[in-house]
């Protein structure tokens, strides 16, 4: 019988009551007395030299409080990059200045040039129209290949060229080359991992507030990690010491990575609140989001796979150009390197794996982590080239994968990570069963009878989650630790507030975290609340991304709860006149082993706060414990996915008829929430595979700048729930964290894009279009039709 | 949005009078106009809302059998009440989403003449008449290229009169992002011949595919649809080349013929 509470149960998400009844408190719901509004005047050119900005007329317009330009930020730090990558020549990456407001040049459409603070937003907009700009248009650098040509226009004049770094990783060149030389077959594939816009439902918002009374600042912002923002903005940009800066990220309506980063608008509102001595609010429009939220992906890759005569993988070699955009966003540099290269072994025991990545500056919006961050890019190329190899060799793509699976754990890959545990055969078998692979031929026949083509695509993936062991990432260039923290505050009557460093912006932490504590203490979940998102309330944790919340912050919470239990047992031992080593805790009762003597949870907690009968000589009163947890390794969720598509050969339109995921997330605390995470992740992956395309023209104009042209997945793009099967029954618990959990937030977005594309290629081949070996995402009807017709 | 005044007349006469002022614009359902205003791409000083004018709302059949739809009638109402013309009702029921259909009006759509909008195909294929406060305009004279029509400033579409064909169907191939028509084809079979109008495809806006009309008038079957027209002059953008659109014109025409009822 499924459990009805604690770990393994699926209580409904308690936060949904407020979300669904309009009682949430989002950043835009926060209005501070006396606030002014800022409108950013943004560049409509991709690249230009700022000759002059004349604000004199605008300053006299109604309601204007003050107008800021780059000159006002000259004494202020730029937006920092949190990860320093060292390239293959031992040189550190180029790190151009990233001013809060443009200085000297504009470098992408959307680059903020000036900021008008006014009594009302409409007044600020109107005044901004009166700012006279003299900007000399420069040739735009858009294509990464052209950006790297010698003599190319430079995005940053003070750098030698547009190459941020030239990184190499994994097996050395000699060994890799030798493996390719000895190969019986080599498959080569060139592909694009399409640029995406994250599009969380809630656009970004920032409200800066300053109090002269205490010389302290508060920033309300749409962030996945308020402490990271406090540290980056306080220490690196504005020079505000942490104790004078409070960052609050209240209810946040989706992040998907794009709300990890520290953005100019946050720094601006905080800075301007003091400069204007008024709270300053900014609410992004959707149009602004398209040109100012960090974008995702945008890799151009050549991947080669070498196989021996028995189809064993010998070597993988990749050559990727990764678009950084015009500036380095907070974690941009780490995405194509350590979050991507380390995953290039996939689920396979390939002995040689070499990854080459050139990061490139262009006149486009900065690119950074987006759900999966580097791991979808790795999975896509590897699983596409394997599929292509199977086709070239005429072997079953499932059998080819199976034959090359890693089966012994722990397994040290040629790309520096050690998978602690896994069972790829189990997830593959589960996927085959749920997909009813055996029935595919009949389903294809039925589709063909309707004039449609049907394709089956399979895919395996591995990801590194639970980010991350601090000492390891420190060696790799991270400028932060990646532990997390939790404080368990038990109140006098036994209720509990858990202050966590993780941030919930849709994931459901407020439901899941109490399940864990409740299970450990044997008390009711309703007695436990999670507090998150406010640096003045929570310990210094690093926030939520990289499928880390439960694996890292949850582990800190477990450790803190263990400390609570230890102390509570001492109190109980005192109350029961027994040694604390004889005290057992079960179902919220402390009892002396082997006796019927017991004392309830609430009596112990009350004793802690009313210590009349209490071992004050041994322990302090109160019951509150904090733990910081730094993971020993990444976690390695893995899975096998499959989907079936129907393809209309007349129009090229692809519909997904069935999708199956068989994931291994280790232990699962709340199955319903895990399934929701995977459903959502796959939907985003389907979006990337079939619909989403952030496109620029050759002048650096954003072509897909609104929902009129940027296609988001909608409910009817996703298979009906009955044909949308997400399974997590294969569980190899993580070996190094106390809950044995691996993380489930990104899996769907990582595993699904190659699954879909593999299915489309399969469908086309079944229809005789055997010349089509690959179609770049999004696999839109027009691209399918063009590929079919050799256009 | 810039600030503007709003007027809410209850008769066409009052609306016309209100539109007499400089820089006044009629407001239908606002589904196109409001986003334009929000982006400050249009700056009328007065908006004259047509939604309170009962005389330009509703669906009825006139003496010669034409279906008359008031210019202020929403897509949702047409979808529900134009059962006498199933091809048209189906078209209206597939515009945008419920919010758009409950606000957007046929008058607004036809006045706007977006090159990817659905209604213009129905109006042109039906040989409908666009009736305004001053005159009646035949569909063949009304559409004059992308976003261009025969309407004068301040002229209000009060009604669109659709002759009802024996058989009809609209086939829309959706642009993946906006879900407007990447290519939409309306086929209408009348006793005296077939009319085929294409939206979404041409740089000139909605047009009649006369080759298909001729072929289908002598043999109304999907097999009779001619080969795809040339891709020259077809819209080429992020969502498809001119050649692709031209190809879809033929595919959607065949499907419309097959579906016509
Ligand atoms: C999300 C979304 C999806 C959509 N999808 C589709 C789709 O799939 N297919 C499709 O065809 N359309 C689609 N539309 C457009 C929709 O049909 C609009 O409703 C229509 O284009 C405009 O109608 P309206 O009544 O809202 O006009 P408004 O926006 O109010 O006005 C549009 C223009 O027409 C003028 N006007 C309005 N009424 C009259 C009148 N009676 N006489 C003279 N001039 C008038 C206005 O002054 C303005 O210039 C979509 C719109 C949205 C927002």
């Amino acid at each position: 019988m499924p459990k009805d509470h604690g770990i393994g149960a699926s209580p409904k998400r308690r936060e949904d009551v407020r979300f669904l009844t309009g009682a949430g408190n989002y950043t835009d719901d926060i209005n501070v007395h006396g606030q002014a509004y800022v409108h950013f005047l943004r560049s409509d050119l991709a690249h230009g030299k700022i000759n002059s900005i004349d604000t004199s007329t605008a300053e006299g317009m109604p309601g204007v409080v003050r107008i800021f330009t780059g000159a006002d930020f000259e004494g202020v730090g730029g937006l920092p990059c949190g990860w320093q990558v060292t390239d293959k020549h031992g040189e550190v990456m180029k790190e151009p200045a990233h001013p809060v407001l443009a200085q000297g040049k504009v470098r992408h459409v959307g680059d903020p040039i000036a900021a008008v603070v006014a009594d009302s937003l409409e007044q600020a907009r109107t005044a901004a129209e009166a700012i006279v700009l003299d900007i000399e248009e420069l040739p735009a650098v858009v294509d990464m290949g052209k950006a790297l040509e010698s003599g190319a226009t430079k995005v940053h004049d003070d750098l030698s060229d547009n190459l941020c770094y030239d990184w190499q990783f994994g097996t050395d060149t000699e060994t890799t080359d030798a493996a390719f030389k000895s190969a019986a077959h080599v498959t080569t594939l060139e592909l694009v991992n399409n640029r995406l816009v994250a599009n969380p439902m809630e656009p970004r918002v920032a409200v800066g507030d300053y109090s002269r009374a205490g010389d302290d600042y508060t920033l309300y912002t749409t962030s996945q990690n308020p402490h990271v923002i406090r540290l980056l903005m306080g220490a690196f940009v504005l020079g505000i010491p942490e104790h004078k800066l409070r960052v609050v990220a209240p209810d946040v309506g989706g992040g998907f990575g794009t709300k990890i980063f520290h953005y100019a608008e946050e720094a601006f509102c905080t800075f301007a609140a003091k400069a204007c001595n008024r709270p300053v609010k900014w609410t992004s429009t959707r149009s602004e989001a398209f040109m100012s939220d960090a974008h995702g992906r945008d890799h151009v890759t050549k991947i080669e796979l070498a196989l021996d005569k028995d189809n064993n993988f010998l070597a993988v070699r990749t050559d990727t150009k990764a678009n950084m955009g015009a500036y380095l966003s907070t974690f941009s540099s780490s995405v194509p390197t350590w979050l991507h290269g380390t995953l290039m072994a996939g689920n396979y025991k390939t002995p040689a794996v070499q990854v080459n990545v050139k990061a490139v500056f262009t006149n486009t919006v900065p690119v950074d982590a987006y759900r999966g961050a580097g791991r979808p890019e790795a999975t896509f190329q590897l699983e596409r080239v394997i599929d292509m190899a199977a086709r070239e060799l005429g072997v079953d793509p499932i059998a080819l994968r199976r034959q090359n699976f890693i089966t012994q754990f722990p397994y040290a890959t040629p790309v520096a990570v050690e998978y602690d545990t896994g069972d790829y055969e189990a997830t593959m078998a589960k996927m085959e069963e749920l997909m009813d692979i055996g029935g595919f031929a009949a389903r294809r026949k039925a589709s063909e009878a309707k004039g449609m083509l049907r394709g089956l695509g399979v895919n395996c993936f591995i990801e590194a989650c639970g980010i991350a062991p601090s000492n390891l990432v420190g060696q790799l260039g991270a400028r932060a630790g990646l532990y997390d923290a939790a404080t368990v505050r038990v109140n006098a009557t036994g209720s509990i507030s858990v202050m966590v460093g993780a941030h919930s912006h849709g994931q459901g932490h407020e439901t899941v975290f109490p399940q864990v504590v409740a299970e450990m203490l044997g008390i009711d979940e309703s007695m436990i609340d999670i507090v998150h998102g406010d640096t003045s309330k929570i310990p210094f944790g690093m926030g939520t991304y990289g499928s880390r919340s439960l694996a890292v912050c949850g582990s800190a919470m477990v450790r803190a709860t263990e400390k609570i239990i230890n102390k509570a047992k001492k109190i109980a031992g005192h109350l029961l006149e027994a040694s604390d080593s004889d005290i057992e805790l079960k179902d919220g009762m402390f009892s002396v082993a082997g006796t019927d003597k017991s004392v309830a949870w609430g009596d112990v907690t009350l004793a802690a706060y009313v210590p009349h009968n209490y071992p004050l000589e041994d322990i302090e009163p109160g019951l509150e414990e904090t733990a910081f947890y730094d993971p020993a390794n990444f976690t390695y969720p893995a899975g096998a996915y499959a989907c079936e598509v129907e393809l209309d050969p007349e129009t090229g339109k692809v519909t997904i008829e069935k999708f199956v995921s068989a994931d291994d997330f280790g232990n699962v605390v709340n199955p319903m929430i895990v399934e929701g995470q995977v459903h959502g992740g796959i939907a985003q992956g389907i979006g990337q595979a079939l619909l989403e395309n952030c496109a620029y023209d050759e002048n650096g104009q954003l072509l897909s700048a609104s929902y009129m042209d940027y296609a988001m997945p909608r409910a009817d793009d996703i298979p009906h729930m009955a044909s949308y099967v997400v399974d997590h029954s294969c569980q190899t618990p993580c070996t190094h964290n106390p809950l044995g959990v691996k993380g489930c937030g990104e899996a769907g977005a990582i595993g699904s894009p190659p699954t879909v594309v593999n299915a489309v290629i399969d469908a086309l081949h079944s229809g005789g279009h055997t010349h089509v070996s690959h179609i770049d995402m999004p696999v839109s009807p027009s691209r399918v039709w063009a590929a079919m017709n050799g256009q | 949005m810039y600030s503007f005044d709003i007027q809410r007349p209850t008769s066409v006469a009052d609306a016309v009078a209100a539109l007499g002022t400089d820089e006044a614009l009629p407001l239908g359902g606002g589904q196109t106009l409001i986003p334009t205003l929000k982006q400050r791409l249009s700056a009328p000083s007065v908006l004259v809302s047509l939604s309170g004018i009962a005389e330009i709302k509703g669906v009825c059949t006139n003496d010669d059998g034409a279906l008359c739809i008031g210019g202020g009638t929403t897509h949702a109402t047409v979808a529900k009440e134009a059962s006498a013309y199933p091809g048209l009702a189906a078209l209206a029921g597939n515009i945008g989403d419920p919010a758009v259909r409950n606000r957007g009006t046929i008058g607004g759509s036809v006045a706007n003449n977006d090159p990817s909008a659905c209604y213009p195909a129905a109006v042109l294929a039906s040989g409908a008449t666009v009736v305004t406060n001053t005159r009646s305009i035949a569909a063949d004279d009304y559409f004059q290229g992308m976003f261009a029509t025969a309407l004068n400033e301040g002229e209000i579409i009060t009604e669109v009169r659709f002759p009802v064909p024996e058989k009809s169907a609209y086939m829309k191939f959706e642009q993946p992002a906006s879900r407007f028509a990447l290519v939409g084809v309306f086929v209408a079979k009348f006793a005296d011949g077939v009319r085929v109008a294409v939206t979404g495809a041409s740089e000139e806006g909605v047009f009649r595919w006369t080759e298909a009309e001729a072929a289908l008038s002598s043999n109304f079957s999907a097999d009779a649809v001619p080969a795809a027209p040339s891709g020259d002059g077809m819209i080429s953008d992020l969502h498809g080349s001119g050649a692709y659109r031209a190809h879809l014109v033929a595919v959607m025409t065949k499907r419309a013929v097959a579906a016509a009822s």
Side-chain angles (χ1 to χ4, degrees):
Chain A
M1 234 192 59
K3 290 178 70 177
D4 64 358
H5 66 276
I7 292 176
S10 290
K12 294 247 158 63
R13 299 186 354 145
R14 51 168 87 172
E15 45 269 77
D16 284 347
V17 175
R18 71 174 188 279
F19 294 154
L20 296 176
T21 58
N25 184 38
Y26 294 89
T27 309
D28 196 45
D29 293 321
I30 293 171
N31 293 297
V32 186
H33 181 69
Q35 81 194 6
Y37 298 81
V38 58
H39 173 77
F40 291 96
L41 177 64
R42 296 179 183 277
S43 177
D44 54 12
L45 295 176
H47 197 187
K49 180 168 168 289
I50 303 174
N51 290 329
S52 68
I53 305 172
D54 179 357
T55 60
S56 53
T57 310
E59 266 154 27
M61 307 262 300
V64 172
V65 176
R66 188 170 158 185
I67 299 179
F68 296 80
T69 66
D72 294 294
F73 285 83
E74 258 153 26
V76 173
L79 304 174
C81 180
W83 202 301
Q84 185 176 57
V85 170
T86 302
D87 80 1
K88 67 181 184 191
H89 309 295
E91 283 171 34
V92 296
M93 67 185 191
K94 293 176 193 130
E95 235 174 310
H98 187 178
V100 174
L101 297 177
Q103 289 173 354
K105 288 218 291 192
V106 290
R107 296 189 175 84
H108 66 85
V109 169
D111 209 359
I113 301 167
V116 182
V117 179
D119 291 338
S120 79
L121 184 56
E122 292 302 317
Q123 287 171 329
R125 280 181 82 179
T126 303
E129 288 169 6
I131 295 176
V132 182
L133 296 176
D134 176 2
I135 299 184
E136 185 183 324
E137 184 164 8
L138 299 170
V141 185
V142 181
D143 177 81
M144 287 193 279
K146 287 187 185 147
L148 292 178
E149 284 170 6
S150 70
T153 304
K154 288 191 285 184
V155 177
H156 295 276
D157 300 335
D158 53 335
L159 303 183
S160 53
D161 51 36
N162 294 316
L163 180 67
C164 177
Y165 54 72
D166 185 358
W167 187 77
Q168 187 175 74
F169 180 58
T171 310
D172 64 74
T173 302
E174 201 183 321
T175 312
T176 310
D177 287 352
F180 272 92
K181 272 219 182 84
S182 72
H185 185 85
V186 174
T187 296
T188 305
L189 174 60
E190 292 185 36
L191 54 81
V192 173
N193 201 294
N194 43 328
R195 182 184 277 241
L196 304 175
V197 183
N199 280 303
M201 194 177 296
E202 177 205 31
R204 290 188 296 119
V205 183
V207 184
D209 191 14
Y210 173 74
S211 163
R212 277 190 298 158
D215 187 31
D216 44 27
Y217 299 78
T218 302
L219 169 68
Y220 302 92
T221 185
T222 46
S223 175
Q224 303 177 212
N225 29 244
H227 267 298
V228 173
I229 301 305
R230 189 178 74 164
L231 181 65
L232 290 176
M233 186 177 79
F236 295 97
V237 186
L238 300 179
I240 305 170
E242 285 102 314
H243 69 299
K244 293 291 181 193
L245 176 58
R246 174 183 171 208
V247 177
V248 183
D251 283 334
V252 172
F256 311 113
T258 203
K259 290 176 183 165
I260 297 172
F261 322 122
H262 176 41
Y263 286 97
E265 295 87 355
E266 295 169 322
F268 178 83
C269 289
T270 310
F271 178 86
K274 181 174 185 181
C276 302
N277 195 26
R278 261 178 94 169
V280 175
K281 181 172 193 169
W282 172 70
T283 302
S284 174
T285 62
R286 186 61 69 182
S287 308
E288 275 183 293
F290 272 99
M291 55 180 158
S292 69
D293 288 5
H295 292 171
R297 317 281 192 257
D298 204 350
H299 286 191
V300 176
T301 293
K302 176 180 168 191
I303 180 167
E304 299 161 284
L305 171 66
L307 303 94
D308 72 11
K309 63 177 185 1
D310 301 318
N311 299 337
N312 297 309
F313 299 165
L314 293 176
V316 168
R317 181 166 52 207
T318 74
D319 198 347
T320 288
K321 288 194 275 292
N323 207 334
M324 295 287 101
Y327 304 99
L328 290 179
S329 173
T330 313
F331 288 111
S332 56
S333 52
S334 67
V335 175
T337 50
W338 302 108
L339 293 175
H340 161 255
T342 48
L343 276 301
M344 278 316 307
N347 310 52
Y348 311 103
K349 51 185 190 238
T350 317
V353 179
Q354 188 185 73
V355 184
N356 296 279
V357 179
K358 288 189 173 73
V360 186
F361 294 113
T362 61
N363 292 116
T364 61
V365 169
V367 180
D368 207 325
Y370 167 67
R371 200 170 192 171
R375 293 151 288 168
E377 294 90 321
T379 304
F380 185 73
Q381 42 180 298
L382 185 61
E383 293 293 321
R384 281 291 301 120
V385 83
I386 291 171
D387 228 61
M388 193 166 153
R391 209 166 283 291
E392 288 174 355
L393 294 164
V395 298
D396 173 30
I398 294 180
L400 181 61
R401 287 177 168 86
R402 224 175 212 137
Q403 163 184 355
N404 286 284
F405 273 160
I406 296 162
T407 51
Q408 304 277 316
F409 296 89
Y411 178 84
T413 71
V415 276
V417 286
E418 186 177 281
Y419 302 162
D420 60 337
T421 180
D423 185 347
Y424 308 144
E425 175 51 39
T427 44
M428 184 69 109
K430 190 75 197 170
M431 176 278 285
E432 288 177 298
E433 171 203 326
L434 294 170
M435 195 70 195
D436 177 25
I437 299 272
F440 174 69
R443 294 192 292 275
R444 171 173 275 172
K445 261 216 175 96
S447 293
E448 285 170 353
K450 296 186 291 178
M452 305 294 263
L453 303 176
R454 197 177 186 101
L456 169 68
V458 299
N459 174 58
C460 296
F461 77 95
I462 174 94
E463 47 173 336
C465 295
I467 290 173
S470 294
N471 57 1
L472 174 62
V473 296
Q475 287 163 29
L476 304 181
R479 287 165 167 160
L482 284 167
Y483 50 82
D484 219 288
T487 297
V488 177
R489 176 179 297 161
V490 181
N491 302 308
T493 61
S495 69
I496 298 174
S497 304
V498 187
M499 278 64 80
V500 294
H503 186 280
S504 189
H505 31 280
Q507 290 86 351
H509 298 171
E510 291 171 36
T511 304
V512 173
F513 283 33
Q515 287 180 254
V516 173
V517 176
E519 174 91 27
M520 291 177 74
L521 298 177
I523 63 172
D524 203 88
E525 281 148 29
S526 65
M527 292 173 67
I528 305 161
D529 263 356
I530 298 301
V531 176
H532 65 95
D534 183 342
T535 59
S536 70
K537 293 182 183 164
I538 61 170
F540 191 99
M542 299 302 290
T544 288
Y545 39 82
S547 305
R548 70 191 301 274
S549 295
L550 195 57
V552 186
C553 188
S555 296
M557 183 180 68
V558 169
R559 292 275 187 263
T561 307
E562 285 167 357
K563 292 186 195 178
I564 293 285
I565 292 172
N566 285 340
K567 185 170 177 184
K569 280 185 174 173
K570 288 201 175 104
I571 302 169
H574 177 87
L575 296 175
L576 295 168
E577 296 172 339
S579 156
D580 50 305
S581 58
D582 291 334
I583 302 292
E584 289 171 349
L585 170 60
K586 191 164 182 281
D587 295 335
M589 294 295 285
F590 295 91
S591 52
V592 184
T595 75
D596 59 359
K597 291 206 300 181
S598 66
V599 59
W601 167 252
D603 296 326
V604 170
T605 63
L606 194 63
Y609 287 93
V610 187
H612 296 164
N613 173 17
Y614 194 85
L616 284 167
E617 58 289 353
D618 291 334
I619 52 175
E620 296 166 5
L623 201 49
E624 173 168 328
E625 299 287 351
T626 294
F628 283 69
Y629 180 85
D630 203 289
N633 191 355
F634 292 91
T635 61
Y636 299 96
Y641 285 17
C643 84
E644 281 180 30
V645 299
E646 246 185 20
L647 188 155
D648 179 343
E650 285 187 328
T651 63
K653 186 170 166 65
V654 172
T655 46
I656 297 179
E657 296 296 311
K658 183 169 185 183
F659 207 111
V660 165
S661 66
D663 284 298
D664 174 2
F665 295 132
N667 294 333
V668 165
V669 173
N670 183 318
M672 176 195 71
I673 283 182
V674 166
E675 287 155 23
Q677 286 288 310
V678 179
H679 276 136
I682 292 173
Q684 275 181 312
I686 289 173
Q688 168 163 31
L690 295 182
L691 296 158
E692 298 184 44
N693 184 24
C694 179
Y696 282 93
D697 72 8
E698 66 275 16
N699 300 316
Q701 290 297 324
L702 188 55
L703 296 175
S704 45
S706 78
Y707 292 140
M708 290 302 280
D709 288 301
Y710 189 90
M712 293 292 287
R714 298 178 220 197
D716 61 358
D717 292 311
I718 310 302
H720 190 274
M721 278 304 179
S723 306
Y724 195 0
V725 184
V726 300
D727 180 90
H728 45 74
S729 64
C730 301
Q731 300 180 351
T732 60
C734 168
T735 58
H736 55 79
N737 66 41
L739 290 167
V741 296
K742 296 181 176 179
C744 66
E746 295 160 295
I750 295 170
S752 52
T755 314
V756 174
V757 179
N758 289 344
V760 171
I761 301 299
D762 186 54
L764 287 171
H765 279 248
S766 78
H769 303 281
T770 49
H771 65 284
V772 184
S773 54
H774 178 70
I775 301 177
D776 278 325
M777 300 186 290
V779 182
S780 61
S782 70
R783 286 186 178 178
V784 171
W785 181 81
M788 280 165 51
N789 291 283
Q791 297 200 353
Chain B
M1 222 179 258
Y2 298 104
S3 41
F4 53 83
D5 289 329
I6 182 140
Q7 303 221 3
R8 300 176 187 282
T10 52
S11 72
V12 172
D14 288 351
V16 170
L19 284 166
T21 59
D22 245 9
E23 294 175 52
L25 271 185
L27 174 68
Q31 297 303 294
T32 298
L33 187 51
I34 299 289
T36 316
L37 296 180
K38 280 188 172 171
Q39 291 187 45
R40 297 190 158 198
L41 297 172
S42 170
S45 54
V46 180
L47 279 190
V48 180
S49 169
L50 308 181
S51 58
I53 307 176
E55 62 188 284
I56 62 165
K57 284 180 166 180
V59 179
C60 65
T61 303
N62 73 2
D63 295 345
D64 55 13
L67 192 75
C68 303
I69 301 179
T73 312
T74 63
H75 311 330
T77 301
V78 175
K80 206 163 66 202
E81 294 179 14
S83 47
Y85 192 165
L88 184 66
L91 173 148
N94 198 28
I95 292 175
D97 50 48
V100 171
R101 293 195 288 275
N102 282 316
R103 294 292 311 168
T105 64
I106 188 169
S109 177
V110 173
N112 195 49
N113 191 20
D114 186 299
S116 304
C118 301
Y119 265 130
V123 172
L124 190 58
S126 306
T129 303
V130 178
V131 182
T132 74
N133 55 303
T134 57
R135 55 186 171 143
S136 293
I137 312 168
D140 287 320
D141 302 326
Y142 177 83
F143 298 104
Q144 303 190 344
M146 280 195 184
F147 299 106
T149 70
L151 288 182
N152 296 318
E153 242 170 71
E155 197 170 359
I156 297 176
I157 298 177
T158 53
E159 190 173 276
V160 185
R161 275 186 209 144
F162 291 89
V164 179
E166 293 170 353
K167 287 183 167 189
S168 71
Y170 176 62
M171 280 289 152
K172 162 164 140 181
F173 192 81
E174 289 172 349
Q175 193 257 55
S178 70
R179 296 197 172 181
F180 275 63
L182 187 73
V183 168
V185 177
F186 199 106
V187 170
K189 179 181 184 302
F190 292 91
D192 60 350
V194 175
R195 288 171 67 110
V196 177
V198 179
T199 187
S202 169
E203 288 171 345
E204 305 294 320
V206 67
F207 70 97
R208 283 172 66 185
W209 188 18
T210 46
E211 289 91 340
E213 290 183 351
L216 290 168
S217 293
S218 52
N219 175 13
F220 192 72
S221 82
D223 297 338
V225 172
S230 155
D232 295 344
M234 297 283 181
I235 299 169
S236 218
D237 62 12
L238 202 53
H239 307 288
S241 63
Y244 178 57
R245 280 184 166 82
H247 165 78
L248 286 179
V249 169
V251 174
M252 291 298 118
T253 304
K254 280 189 191 143
R255 291 184 183 185
V257 171
S261 58

